[in-house]
Amino acid sequence: MKVIVAVKRVVDYNVKIRVKADKTGVELSNVKMSMNPFDEIGVEEAVRLKEAGVASEVVAVSIGPAQAQETIRTALAMGADRGILIKTDEEVQPLAVAKLLKAVVEAEAPQIVILGKQAIDDDSNQTGQMLAALLGWAQGTFASKVTLGEGKATVTREVDGGLQTVELKLPAVVTTDLRLNEPRYASLPNIMKAKKKPIDEKTPADLGVDIAPRLKTLKVEEPPKRQAGRKVASVEELVQALKNEAGVI
């Protein structure tokens, strides 16, 4: 069974985000970048499936600039077998990502595609669902547990107020939630081995996909700073402040 894992290069989650002076986006120059944390979980799950003898090959796919090769190398160091980089310097929105992944899936013919449930840069939470719709495949989103059987997958999903378990007919698309697993650290020997693993480069044009943006970002602003609180002398003063000043009661 072949597994495809999508990985995205994003600003590292430890970095404090700074908005550009012209408010057209966030500052990416001289900023540490890393693999999207939810995608790390996806890579770990795919590698575990391979280690268990369920999967035969794990292919990591990334879409972005040349530097996204580093993200693929991280996936290879974690245990993926080879990588595919769809190289573009343009902004790629979720629908375009789903179309590009669909083209890769049609060429590679995997039994399961694993993606992070969302990327921490845009928080769209759309790509996995769009990919499943374009392929006409079953989908298991927000997965906290995945078990593969003969021609089927059992996925435990995190939903509001609890858990939901669904059975999917393979091939299927699965998106990962935080509690699915804890990603491993790549060892130094595996990092060295990853440098020799193949990465195939393609472009959106090679795959026949139009990645023109459907949405335009008008303005990006930092959230307003929290105002300092104040002490009140009595419950009556608190109630009056909530009623007359805050307007919440």
Side-chain angles (χ1 to χ4, degrees):
M1 176 187 296
K2 184 186 293 186
V3 181
I4 282 183
V5 186
V7 294
K8 185 177 184 180
R9 180 176 182 264
V10 298
V11 176
D12 190 87
Y13 66 92
N14 286 313
V15 172
K16 179 174 171 55
I17 301 298
R18 292 179 291 114
V19 175
K20 289 181 179 179
D22 58 6
K23 297 186 178 183
T24 58
V26 298
E27 193 60 64
L28 298 179
S29 300
N30 302 314
V31 172
K32 182 183 178 184
M33 309 291 282
S34 62
M35 187 189 299
N36 178 48
F38 290 104
D39 297 341
E40 279 189 313
I41 294 170
V43 174
E44 175 65 26
E45 191 65 18
V47 172
R48 290 188 185 188
L49 290 174
K50 184 184 174 186
E51 291 173 343
V54 177
S56 57
E57 184 182 28
V58 177
V59 183
V61 181
S62 190
I63 301 164
Q67 295 91 324
Q69 272 203 24
E70 301 168 11
T71 308
I72 296 177
R73 292 289 178 201
T74 300
L76 297 177
M78 290 174 68
D81 298 292
R82 59 187 175 92
I84 298 174
L85 172 62
I86 303 172
K87 190 175 175 182
T88 176
D89 292 320
E90 304 297 322
E91 177 191 3
V92 187
Q93 295 177 350
L95 179 58
V97 173
K99 289 180 177 180
L100 291 168
L101 290 176
K102 175 178 180 283
V104 172
V105 167
E106 289 174 343
E108 294 286 336
Q111 284 295 98
I112 187 168
V113 180
I114 303 177
L115 309 88
K117 71 170 184 177
Q118 64 195 74
I120 61 172
D121 54 359
D122 58 17
D123 280 330
S124 291
N125 182 18
Q126 296 174 345
T127 305
Q129 294 90 327
M130 288 177 170
L131 176 61
L134 291 172
L135 290 170
W137 287 10
Q139 59 176 299
T141 54
F142 318 126
S144 61
K145 183 178 180 182
V146 178
T147 305
L148 295 186
E150 191 64 39
K152 65 182 181 180
T154 303
V155 177
T156 300
R157 304 179 60 238
E158 299 203 1
V159 297
D160 291 343
L163 301 173
Q164 178 190 53
T165 301
V166 295
E167 186 175 278
L168 312 177
K169 182 181 178 182
L170 296 179
V173 175
V174 173
T175 70
T176 64
D177 215 323
L178 280 174
R179 279 156 287 277
L180 179 58
N181 60 53
E182 186 173 340
R184 70 192 68 189
Y185 289 102
S187 65
L188 182 57
N190 286 340
I191 292 173
M192 300 306 292
K193 289 177 185 176
K195 294 181 179 180
K196 298 180 180 179
K197 292 182 179 179
I199 296 180
D200 186 19
E201 282 195 16
K202 300 181 183 295
T203 65
D206 294 337
L207 300 174
V209 176
D210 174 19
I211 62 170
R214 265 59 175 180
L215 302 174
K216 180 181 179 182
T217 301
L218 300 179
K219 184 167 62 172
V220 177
E221 293 182 293
E222 291 189 16
K225 289 183 170 60
R226 291 184 62 180
Q227 296 181 347
R230 66 183 177 87
K231 292 182 178 180
V232 293
S234 65
V235 174
E236 289 76 14
E237 186 181 348
L238 172 63
V239 171
Q240 288 302 315
L242 293 173
K243 183 177 181 180
N244 299 325
E245 296 176 28
V248 296
I249 60 173

